Amino acid sequence: MEKAEVAKKIYELVEKSTGKKKLKSSDIQKTVSAEAGVTRDEVKDALRDLVDEGKLIYTYFGGSFVEIPPKQ
Amino acid sequence: MPKKYQTPLLDELEKGPFPSFVTEIKKAAEKSDMAADELGQLEKSYRDRRGYGKHGGIVGVRGYGSGVIGRYSSLPEEFPNVANFHTVRINSTSAFFYTSKFLNEMCDIWDKYGSGLTNMHGSTGDLVLLGTNTENLETIFAEFSSRGWDLGGSGSALRTPSCCVGPARCEWANIDTLAINYAITQEWQDEMHRPAFPYKFKFKTAGCAVDCIASIARADCSIIGTWKGNIAVDQKEVANYEKGGMNIQEEIVNMCPSKCMSYNGKELSIKDADCVRCMHCIAKMTKALKATGEKGATILIGAKAPFVIGATLSWVIVPFIKMEPPYDEFKDLIRKMWEFWDEFGKNRERIGELIIRKGMREFLEYLGLDPVPQHVKEPRRDPFFFWSEADLAK
């Protein structure tokens, strides 16, 4: 699977969870690698790109989570 | 001109022989509005007996999930200059060696973009910069990274590894703590900057069992230098210690935890097979005793202060491992531990807590390690062995 597709799946998963459950990076890695049939390293790699691009951010609320940045 | 606050309660903390953080904040408050408001808010906290700071949230620098801890005042109208008072953690050097050039630069940057207050060093080991606002974070990061520095760890990530001074200045070091610390830092950059663990994870490396960095009490993974050979004894120096007033029987022999030493008034003997390498005798009689033979490290896991069961020291997992570059055996072991933690750990559960919950047996099985006597949790408190009255009389 192309990296862009993995990134899309990650973003969709985070978007779907917004307001319901905060996802940790490891939750995303486990879920997307199982669903997309890719390795966790590939998911990590795509997740890193999304964070570098500012499409997703890390937050801290008693633990570190990955979320969609708030709209300015 | 920064606002001046009356601080009768904080002033009490300036009395006595010890350095006072209040005095330091007051110095910074002479030229920093942020430090002045911090002082005012702190006084109010002491007066009202409650904290007015909140932490967490979404601040950070682009691409990183660690290194910046968002801190906010819950009284922003009253103390507007500390409405944002974020902490920045800079990855410290191994054993905290800095050049004066860097320290000057660091202070200049922090006076310009922050409160001017620092914490050298935080208990994690980072160089901590206290108090800045959200708009300055990217600039601060750029200033430091352009000089070759990086942010440290925070959140559910690998925290900035730290080590004792090791062979840089200490003759007891059995391992190159500085090199190990640097190798760990370089190997797991991703784990430090992009939080993916169930909770925090700390490495601390000590060159010997004196454990100046207190790794056994503070680190999820303690790496403590040890040796396999005998303790070499220089009997002439032993005699010199006695001449100098040392009571060898009381201060050395009787203090040996495994009772492997004896002294007949002329000669100090050591039954090395019974020695547990605690370093007490070597630390007391530096000129007379020396560790010899193969050097390496003991790997321990799981220390944490506020467990439900109370403060917990780390547990021996590997009694002896060679610690030489590229440290592959050690790195593989750690990855396997993290895999176990990732598989079974709950959110905000430290690896030590997980081992207590799941059991050491399951942990060892997962790692593929055979149980060895050194895995016993508390020496001489083996719950499967019962001393009889007759044994105790001996």
Side-chain angles (χ1 to χ4, degrees):
Chain A
M1 186 180 275
E2 290 291 316
K3 198 188 208 180
E5 282 179 76
V6 180
K8 191 166 172 259
K9 284 198 174 295
I10 294 170
Y11 191 87
E12 283 169 358
L13 176 68
V14 176
E15 197 173 33
K16 218 170 112 186
S17 300
T18 301
K20 293 174 196 151
K21 188 193 175 206
K22 289 187 189 298
L23 295 176
K24 296 183 79 75
S25 170
S26 55
D27 297 331
I28 295 168
Q29 288 172 37
K30 280 179 193 169
T31 308
V32 175
S33 65
E35 283 179 2
V38 294
T39 66
R40 286 184 61 158
D41 280 345
E42 287 174 274
V43 182
K44 260 167 90 173
D45 200 21
L47 176 59
R48 185 192 304 187
D49 283 359
L50 285 166
V51 173
D52 286 348
E53 290 161 15
K55 289 178 181 161
L56 294 177
I57 55 165
Y58 287 101
T59 60
Y60 183 85
F61 295 96
S64 299
F65 301 96
V66 176
E67 299 187 64
I68 294 170
K71 288 193 173 71
Q72 295 299 319
Chain B
M1 187 75 180
K3 188 173 174 182
K4 271 232 167 207
Y5 291 91
Q6 293 303 309
T7 55
L9 294 173
L10 291 178
D11 294 348
E12 290 296 312
L13 299 175
E14 292 188 277
K15 295 173 184 168
F18 303 107
S20 166
F21 73 95
V22 174
T23 306
E24 299 307 315
I25 300 178
K26 281 183 179 176
K27 279 190 219 165
E30 285 169 15
K31 54 180 181 176
S32 161
D33 292 323
M34 215 172 219
D37 271 11
E38 175 62 10
L39 207 58
Q41 181 175 285
L42 199 58
E43 175 71 18
K44 188 176 169 66
S45 286
Y46 275 71
R47 199 169 53 239
D48 300 350
R49 299 186 179 194
R50 55 158 296 189
Y52 289 110
K54 301 179 282 187
H55 89 283
I58 57 171
V59 294
V61 298
R62 172 73 72 91
Y64 279 34
S66 283
V68 176
I69 299 100
R71 297 193 196 277
Y72 308 88
S73 170
S74 48
L75 303 168
E77 288 84 20
E78 197 173 344
F79 303 103
N81 295 304
V82 289
N84 291 340
F85 198 73
H86 309 319
T87 297
V88 179
R89 289 184 180 159
I90 302 292
N91 194 326
S92 51
T93 52
S94 290
F96 309 145
F97 285 101
Y98 297 100
T99 61
S100 50
K101 178 176 177 280
F102 165 71
L103 293 174
N104 276 313
E105 284 176 354
M106 181 269 289
C107 289
D108 288 345
I109 295 168
W110 200 234
D111 278 341
K112 191 171 174 186
Y113 297 107
S115 70
L117 297 171
T118 67
N119 181 0
M120 303 279 283
H121 293 77
S123 56
T124 302
D126 297 271
L127 192 169
V128 183
L129 306 175
L130 299 160
T132 190
N133 53 40
T134 309
E135 299 78 60
N136 284 338
L137 288 170
E138 289 291 350
T139 315
I140 291 163
F141 179 54
E143 290 275 13
F144 279 97
S145 58
S146 66
R147 290 169 171 83
W149 297 84
D150 203 349
L151 297 183
S154 66
S156 306
L158 173 63
R159 299 305 182 83
T160 307
S162 66
C163 66
C164 74
V165 74
R169 296 194 69 179
C170 179
E171 64 194 275
W172 299 334
N174 292 300
I175 47 175
D176 189 342
T177 53
L178 299 96
I180 293 166
N181 195 61
Y182 185 72
I184 290 172
T185 306
Q186 294 300 329
E187 179 74 19
W188 287 306
Q189 282 285 299
D190 209 46
E191 284 73 6
M192 191 165 14
H193 296 136
R194 295 167 190 88
F197 291 154
Y199 204 20
K200 63 184 86 166
F201 191 94
K202 300 174 183 177
F203 281 111
K204 295 197 189 297
T205 309
C208 73
V210 173
D211 197 10
C212 293
I213 193 103
S215 68
I216 199 165
R218 304 196 299 154
D220 295 277
C221 180
S222 323
I223 303 157
I224 301 180
T226 190
W227 69 96
K228 268 191 168 175
N230 295 341
I231 296 177
V233 186
D234 183 334
Q235 300 293 354
K236 271 188 196 165
E237 289 294 345
V238 172
N240 284 338
Y241 275 104
E242 187 163 53
K243 268 186 220 158
M246 179 182 273
N247 184 334
I248 292 171
Q249 185 63 41
E250 285 293 319
E251 294 175 45
I252 307 298
V253 175
N254 292 356
M255 297 290 280
C256 174
S258 58
K259 307 292 175 213
C260 73
M261 310 181 89
S262 60
Y263 184 59
N264 61 10
K266 287 180 184 162
E267 203 165 85
L268 182 69
S269 307
I270 301 173
K271 197 175 170 191
D272 286 283
D274 289 343
C275 173
V276 290
R277 278 105 178 131
C278 76
M279 283 294 293
H280 171 75
C281 60
I282 297 176
K284 286 281 182 188
M285 304 176 82
T286 309
K287 290 180 180 172
L289 304 176
K290 193 179 179 190
T292 67
E294 202 177 356
K295 305 285 176 74
T298 299
I299 307 299
L300 303 94
I301 196 100
K304 183 181 182 259
F307 270 177
V308 176
I309 60 165
T312 307
L313 300 181
S314 51
W315 233 331
V316 171
I317 296 297
V318 180
F320 188 89
I321 186 171
K322 290 294 281 182
M323 286 300 279
E324 286 165 2
Y327 312 104
D328 285 339
E329 193 186 350
F330 169 75
K331 288 174 187 169
D332 289 346
L333 177 76
I334 296 300
R335 286 197 183 94
K336 200 81 185 155
M337 287 180 189
W338 285 346
E339 218 179 271
F340 177 79
W341 191 29
D342 183 59
E343 184 71 24
F344 302 108
K346 297 176 186 170
N347 189 26
R348 285 172 68 84
E349 185 176 46
R350 298 278 281 268
I351 194 166
E353 291 172 302
L354 171 63
I355 295 169
I356 290 168
R357 180 166 62 85
K358 297 287 282 183
M360 180 58 89
R361 177 180 155 177
E362 204 162 319
F363 182 60
L364 291 176
E365 277 176 0
Y366 194 92
L367 297 184
L369 295 176
D370 291 328
V372 292
Q374 288 91 334
H375 288 154
V376 71
K377 188 162 177 273
E378 292 167 328
R380 280 165 294 287
R381 278 178 175 70
D382 186 340
F384 305 106
F385 195 92
F386 297 96
W387 299 97
S388 67
E389 287 296 322
D391 289 326
L392 292 172
K394 286 179 199 168

